[in-house]
Amino acid sequence: QVQLVESGGGLVQAGGSLRLSCAASGYIFSIYDMNWYRQAPGKQRELVAGIGGSTNYADSVKGRFTLSRDNAKKMVYLQMNNLKSEATAVYCCLVQFGYTTYWGQGTQVTVSS
């Protein structure tokens, strides 16, 4: 079955960096777009970045976050630099097959100011 497992979250000071990873299994990884979402307490879920034929970023993270993928390892990486306190959230990766969406369990990122 499809599984997405995130890792790499943690506590970091503002201005610091973290690299999140998403390990995928159970489907043909290379042919599907991968996306990262985040949800902060009391806020709506937000699309952070997506990678497929091209890579797209939310305006709030452009220039500081870099999304990449390794198709051979079935991994997606979200490098987050110059983190700000508003980046505090649970970060999840997801893949969508038509009308079906699969989510990972998420990884907590906490940025202290």
Side-chain angles (χ1 to χ4, degrees):
Q1 70 277 23
V2 175
Q3 281 194 316
L4 300 172
V5 180
E6 300 95 336
S7 60
L11 174 64
V12 64
Q13 288 188 331
S17 298
L18 282 174
R19 188 176 85 151
L20 306 183
S21 300
C22 173
S25 61
Y27 68 100
I28 304 174
F29 177 79
S30 60
I31 65 174
Y32 291 97
D33 295 358
M34 294 294 295
N35 296 286
W36 280 92
Y37 278 76
R38 66 186 179 188
Q39 186 160 23
K43 294 188 177 181
Q44 286 191 332
R45 187 179 292 155
E46 174 189 22
L47 175 62
V48 177
I51 187 166
S54 60
T55 307
N56 301 289
Y57 300 93
D59 288 343
S60 58
V61 307
K62 279 180 182 176
R64 298 183 299 112
F65 288 17
T66 302
L67 183 59
S68 61
R69 66 190 296 165
D70 184 331
N71 287 338
K73 295 182 178 178
K74 297 186 178 181
M75 296 288 294
V76 178
Y77 304 101
L78 184 64
Q79 177 68 42
M80 306 186 296
N81 297 327
N82 189 20
L83 282 161
K84 303 178 180 180
S85 57
E86 52 263 39
T88 295
V90 175
Y91 286 70
C92 297
C93 59
L94 78 94
V95 63
Q96 189 168 3
F97 306 151
Y99 295 108
T100 303
T101 302
Y102 294 90
W103 294 83
Q105 83 288 351
T107 185
Q108 175 71 47
V109 171
T110 304
V111 183
S112 63
S113 56

